[in-house]
Amino acid sequence: MMNYPALPSFVLALLALFLKASLLSGVQIISRVRSRRYLLPEDAGMVGLRPVESEAELVQRCARVWRNDVENLPLFLALALSYALLGGDPSSANWLFGSYVLIRYLHTIVYLRGLQPWRAMLYLSGMLVCWMIAIGILQQMHL
């Protein structure tokens, strides 16, 4: 890892985002079980219920957070990995990657609670961090 001093920061960010996804899955499962509302016939049948037209609001919000993460996290992960593999500064990586992870955790919380304008502000903050990483990549490449 001597050639890639920022790689541990990337790995920690990846693990923290994996933990967030796991926690979100747990919230979705618990919400589905508590509401006893299942969209898919096989899920409803497993607990002796009939399928419903729509799931509970929190289950739906969890699904929207998942979709938002699928749209946004790959860009961050590609940028962060590129930064690390180009030999980026580990203290900058700690700050940038840690900030992004914290922003995404907060974004998830405000998304689940339906809090605007905070959700939009956190999204834009995350994009700003991604742009800072992109600039750091260009600097590493001496462009």
Side-chain angles (χ1 to χ4, degrees):
M1 282 205 266
M2 295 300 286
N3 294 333
Y4 309 109
L7 193 58
S9 299
F10 171 77
V11 172
L12 285 174
L14 180 63
L15 292 172
L17 292 170
F18 173 71
L19 174 62
K20 184 180 90 64
S22 298
L23 293 171
L24 183 62
S25 288
V27 169
Q28 193 172 30
I29 291 166
I30 291 167
S31 298
R32 190 173 280 132
V33 169
R34 283 186 179 168
S35 71
R36 300 185 48 83
R37 294 174 66 184
Y38 299 91
L39 210 53
L40 300 174
E42 62 271 20
D43 294 344
M46 188 173 67
V47 292
L49 298 171
R50 292 179 188 235
V52 295
E53 292 289 322
S54 65
E55 294 186 288
E57 175 63 23
L58 186 54
V59 174
Q60 292 178 40
R61 281 193 174 273
C62 287
R64 289 192 291 272
V65 171
W66 264 105
R67 186 174 59 238
N68 187 277
D69 281 348
V70 167
E71 293 169 353
N72 289 281
L73 296 185
L75 292 173
F76 163 74
L77 293 171
L79 288 167
L81 182 59
S82 297
Y83 183 88
L85 293 178
L86 287 169
D89 177 59
S91 61
S92 294
N94 286 339
W95 186 85
L96 290 166
F97 302 172
S99 294
Y100 187 84
V101 168
L102 176 61
I103 288 166
R104 289 308 295 188
Y105 268 81
L106 293 172
H107 180 268
T108 295
I109 292 166
V110 300
Y111 204 135
L112 291 176
R113 300 193 66 199
L115 302 176
Q116 277 289 24
W118 301 107
R119 190 179 93 219
M121 290 170 39
L122 288 165
Y123 167 77
L124 293 172
S125 298
M127 287 303 294
L128 177 62
V129 172
C130 285
W131 274 105
M132 292 170 73
I133 296 169
I135 291 167
I137 289 169
L138 293 173
Q139 289 173 337
Q140 289 296 320
M141 296 175 62
H142 307 290
L143 296 177

